Amino acid sequence: MKTAVLTIVKIGLTLGLFALVLRSIDVSDVILHIKRLPALTVLVVAVLFVVQMIVSAIRLSAITGIVAHTVPLAVTVRINWIGAFFSQALITFVSGDVVRAMILTRRCAIPMRNSARSVALDRLIGLLSSLLIVSLTASWAIQLTGDETMRHSIVVMAVAGIALIAAFAFVGYLARHPALAQAARGKIKEYRVIYAILDTLSVVRHLFTGWRHIPKILLTSLIIQFINVAVIFNLINGMGAEVSMWQCLMIVPTVMLISLLPFSIAGWGLRESAMATGFSLIHAPAAAALAASVMFGIFTLLLALPGGVLWWWSDNKMSLPER
């Protein structure tokens, strides 16, 4: 019952966000921009998404190597693809993460606790890489607008990003030292929500013990973010707008961060609102920005569908070789 109510609320919020965006944008104009999309751009975007799936699988393989033992790339590609399918099918990326953890446990001989840690660390590193890019590009993003409210919002987001990165690093460092961690747990154990959050964030400690894998994890995380930027760059320019890659770099990571907020179905509505607002700063056509966001969502949905096929046929194909 609770899940059904939450789903209905999310559907309502998603539709409401779309309604707000479409108040100032003609739907026929959005459709016209989508029809302008060249076939070559469609192909390039599809290839970029597949490459992104492979790169994210490389990152997951490196992370499992830190937390438990290395899982072969072919296996992590399947796991991520199946997770992407369930993220779309079950409305939220958390569902996909739960499925990924289950497969790591059932097919890769990794205990459930370590599987959950691996997936949580994978998700946290993705979040941190977005925050890092947003923080580093904030000084240039401010120059996109003369609106003081928007400027203050960019500064707040940049400062919050740096603070969160520092907080993750501190929690990870603290968790490496048993005496300090035990003392901290004793003081916050009564606050169950805070305790649960900090216990989850403590997976960052694995980065300190597996520091040799950090360059690969950092590089793959940044590549994943840059592919998102490249996808939007190709989509919005393919629809007739004139936007530079640098401008996309200052806008898209923030949009992707906003779309992760658990207020709508798979980020729909939130992403479109943020995209239209972000690209309005550089005077790009609002209809083109909205159309690019819609096509981004459609590509994400369509390219997740093979994950369902992999799930159906993967009963005996994900076991690790004898160690």
Side-chain angles (χ1 to χ4, degrees):
M1 182 65 181
K2 185 178 179 180
T3 303
V5 171
L6 184 59
T7 301
I8 292 170
V9 170
K10 281 193 172 187
I11 292 172
L13 286 172
T14 302
L15 294 176
L17 287 166
F18 266 110
L20 285 173
V21 175
L22 294 174
R23 285 177 62 185
S24 56
I25 302 175
D26 189 349
V27 176
S28 60
D29 199 12
V30 175
I31 295 173
L32 181 62
H33 277 87
I34 293 175
K35 287 181 177 179
R36 287 179 184 170
L37 200 60
L40 180 59
T41 300
V42 173
L43 178 61
V44 169
V45 170
V47 170
L48 283 171
F49 270 116
V50 173
V51 171
Q52 186 181 59
M53 186 69 70
I54 294 170
V55 174
S56 65
I58 293 172
R59 184 177 70 186
L60 181 60
S61 179
I63 289 172
T64 57
I66 293 173
V67 178
H69 57 75
T70 302
V71 176
L73 178 60
V75 177
T76 54
V77 168
R78 293 188 180 196
I79 290 173
N80 275 356
W81 223 313
I82 291 170
F85 169 76
F86 280 98
S87 292
Q88 297 296 318
L90 300 180
I91 317 177
T92 172
F93 69 85
V94 176
S95 301
D97 287 347
V98 171
V99 171
R100 289 198 295 161
M102 288 172 59
I103 297 174
L104 282 172
T105 297
R106 293 175 58 188
R107 305 297 183 189
C108 302
I110 298 177
M112 188 60 190
R113 186 175 181 83
N114 285 339
S115 295
R117 285 172 174 172
S118 298
V119 172
L121 186 56
D122 183 60
R123 183 63 65 182
L124 283 171
I125 289 172
L127 174 63
L128 290 175
S129 61
S130 294
L131 289 170
L132 180 62
I133 294 174
V134 169
S135 299
L136 292 178
T137 59
S139 58
W140 291 281
I142 288 173
Q143 299 173 20
L144 296 178
T145 178
D147 186 282
E148 286 301 315
T149 302
M150 190 66 72
R151 282 172 171 258
H152 289 315
S153 299
I154 294 171
V155 171
V156 168
M157 188 171 292
V159 172
I162 293 171
L164 283 171
I165 292 171
F168 286 143
F170 175 74
V171 171
Y173 176 80
L174 186 67
R176 280 193 67 205
H177 298 78
L180 293 175
Q182 192 63 32
R185 286 193 182 100
K187 291 182 178 180
I188 64 171
K189 201 163 186 177
E190 295 180 2
Y191 307 96
R192 294 184 179 181
V193 175
I194 297 175
Y195 182 86
I197 293 172
L198 292 179
D199 185 55
T200 301
L201 296 182
S202 67
V203 296
V204 179
R205 72 183 182 277
H206 292 290
L207 293 179
F208 290 92
T209 56
W211 60 270
R212 292 179 182 176
H213 294 272
I214 289 179
K216 181 193 288 188
I217 292 171
L218 179 60
L219 179 61
T220 51
S221 298
L222 292 177
I223 290 173
I224 289 167
Q225 299 302 322
F226 290 143
I227 289 176
N228 283 333
V229 173
V231 166
I232 295 298
F233 169 79
N234 279 279
L235 286 173
I236 198 167
N237 281 278
M239 293 174 182
E242 295 183 3
V243 178
S244 71
M245 182 70 83
W246 177 246
Q247 289 171 325
C248 287
L249 182 62
M250 289 185 284
I251 295 170
V252 174
T254 303
V255 171
M256 296 305 161
L257 271 176
I258 293 172
S259 68
L260 289 176
L261 296 174
F263 301 138
S264 67
I265 298 174
W268 284 95
L270 276 174
R271 183 181 57 244
E272 284 66 38
S273 300
M275 195 80 79
T277 301
F279 280 98
S280 69
L281 299 178
I282 56 175
H283 309 292
L290 179 57
S293 183
V294 169
M295 288 305 298
F296 183 95
I298 290 173
F299 271 105
T300 302
L301 177 61
L302 291 178
L303 289 170
L305 293 179
V309 178
L310 290 172
W311 170 261
W312 184 261
W313 292 103
S314 63
D315 283 345
N316 299 307
K317 298 179 182 179
M318 287 194 184
S319 299
L320 286 174
E322 291 296 329
R323 296 176 60 212

